[in-house]
Amino acid sequence: MAGRYMNPFLTVYGHISLDQIVSVDEFPRMNTSVDVTNKQTSLGGTAANVAVTAARLGVPTAICAFVGNDFPKKYEDLMASSGLIMDEVVKVDGYDTSTAIVINDHDLNQKVLFFQGPHGYASKIGMDLLKNGKQSKFVHFCTGEPEYHIRIMKELRPSGCVIAIDPAQEIHRIWNERLLADAMAVSDMMFCNRFEAESVKRYLGTDLFEQVRYPFILCTKGSEGCDLYLDGEPMHFPIVEAEKVIDATGAGDSFRAGFYAGQYHGMSIEESVVVASTVASFTVEKTGALTNTPTWDQVMERADRYLARL
């Protein structure tokens, strides 16, 4: 796939998916049904959400992923229109593109059904996507086959890029103690939410991130804000208030994109966390991860009073 070409500041590895987002008043009991109150299909996937949002915020961003030949052209065009570097998005025969069915209840609790698609079996494809990662300042690894991502991390390590791991919900299912240890040995940063943190801590054999000797852990906690741990030293950040909360889908991904946008614009780590929360506050105001991406000026206007508190 084509896209505007420049040297990337950020390269993102992970799923490009089709998101089917539905809303219900409450989740059905086993062997029962409930009415869907709203339904929407959109471009999604952790890598697509992070990369497109970062590119829209002005960050030179590349995405590395495998999709099926069924990947819709309208979504390919949407990604390219953001300025995303897409020369390492590869269409693979024999696979359908990954798909997520995201179900939200009225409290914005989520249940997700996920079809992996080709990126979940990247090692079988036998193609190491390395070009853009080697040219980047930051490389972010989202969902995808852990063994493949760890191998790519090891290949990229000598280039001197800052490597972040972000297994998201897959930390509970396809990661384990050994894989996490291998990934942390060749990375510099970790992102997770409060639910994913429980599996991370279990694999690490600890109850507290303060006890983990690792350069950077950022744990988001929904309406409770987020916690940053730099070499085990904690710092708490409150949320940036949204005007309204409609749908939390993709808020964590836009948070990551906002963090990298802050770094690209020369901000400190702490300032970048505030920017991350600000970008996420726009995302939850509409349904879909990519339907309400703010401009950089809008981010700065909303973030201003929160940055002043640092």
Side-chain angles (χ1 to χ4, degrees):
M1 292 185 186
R4 192 182 312 163
Y5 189 77
M6 63 192 84
N7 288 334
F9 178 83
L10 169 68
T11 293
V12 184
Y13 289 79
H15 284 99
I16 300 172
S17 300
L18 306 179
D19 279 358
Q20 296 180 7
I21 304 169
V22 300
S23 298
V24 297
D25 288 331
E26 60 182 17
F27 297 124
R29 301 188 309 276
M30 186 67 69
N31 300 317
T32 69
S33 65
V34 297
D35 285 338
V36 170
T37 58
N38 187 59
K39 179 179 182 292
Q40 179 175 314
T41 301
S42 63
L43 173 67
T46 54
N49 292 341
V50 173
V52 170
T53 303
R56 287 175 175 175
L57 290 168
V59 181
T61 304
I63 186 168
C64 298
F66 300 102
V67 298
N69 282 317
D70 63 333
F71 186 66
K73 185 178 186 303
K74 66 177 181 178
Y75 294 139
E76 183 178 343
D77 291 344
L78 185 154
M79 294 170 68
S81 69
S82 71
L84 197 59
I85 301 165
M86 297 172 58
D87 57 329
E88 290 186 295
V89 176
V90 180
K91 290 183 176 180
V92 182
D93 292 332
Y95 290 90
D96 289 342
T97 299
S98 66
T99 302
I101 302 173
V102 181
I103 308 170
N104 295 312
D105 72 6
H106 73 283
D107 292 322
L108 295 185
N109 297 307
Q110 287 188 340
K111 293 188 176 183
V112 181
L113 304 175
F114 190 67
F115 172 68
Q116 283 284 340
H119 202 81
Y121 305 93
S123 291
K124 293 182 179 180
I125 297 169
M127 183 183 301
D128 288 352
L129 306 176
L130 297 168
K131 178 173 69 68
N132 286 303
K134 286 183 175 180
Q135 298 172 347
S136 297
K137 170 67 175 178
F138 289 94
V139 182
H140 189 91
F141 287 86
C142 304
T143 55
E145 184 193 355
E147 291 86 351
Y148 178 80
H149 280 180
I150 292 168
R151 184 170 76 249
I152 298 297
M153 292 178 205
K154 292 177 179 178
E155 292 287 339
L156 295 179
R157 197 64 175 166
S159 70
C161 57
V162 178
I163 296 175
I165 55 176
D166 183 19
Q169 69 276 5
E170 292 185 341
I171 192 69
H172 307 301
R173 302 185 296 106
I174 61 176
W175 285 74
N176 55 38
E177 180 179 344
R178 176 187 61 80
L179 290 169
L180 184 60
D182 288 348
M184 292 178 70
V186 288
S187 62
D188 310 281
M189 304 167 66
M190 182 192 303
F191 291 82
C192 62
N193 66 28
R194 58 184 169 184
F195 305 110
E196 297 150 8
E198 296 307 309
S199 289
V200 172
K201 291 174 184 176
R202 185 172 72 254
Y203 297 150
L204 296 177
T206 184
D207 294 325
L208 299 170
F209 279 137
E210 288 91 333
Q211 298 173 346
V212 179
R213 305 312 301 172
Y214 185 74
F216 177 110
I217 299 174
L218 188 49
C219 179
T220 58
K221 302 167 68 176
S223 62
E224 297 176 17
C226 64
D227 293 329
L228 172 66
Y229 302 85
L230 300 178
D231 290 317
E233 292 296 323
M235 181 181 297
H236 178 73
F237 296 79
I239 64 166
V240 171
E241 295 285 348
E243 292 183 357
K244 56 186 176 180
V245 179
I246 301 298
D247 176 30
T249 303
D253 297 330
S254 63
F255 180 100
R256 278 98 170 128
F259 176 83
Y260 291 117
Q263 290 290 283
Y264 177 69
H265 287 283
M267 293 182 163
S268 69
I269 287 176
E270 292 82 2
E271 290 170 331
S272 296
V273 174
V274 173
V275 169
S277 295
T278 305
V279 176
S281 76
F282 283 91
T283 301
V284 301
E285 292 175 351
K286 292 187 179 180
T287 300
L290 297 171
T291 53
N292 198 40
T293 306
T295 65
W296 182 249
D297 288 343
Q298 288 174 317
V299 172
M300 288 295 94
E301 181 179 358
R302 184 175 290 187
D304 184 61
R305 64 188 177 97
Y306 295 90
L307 290 168
R309 298 173 185 172
L310 289 178

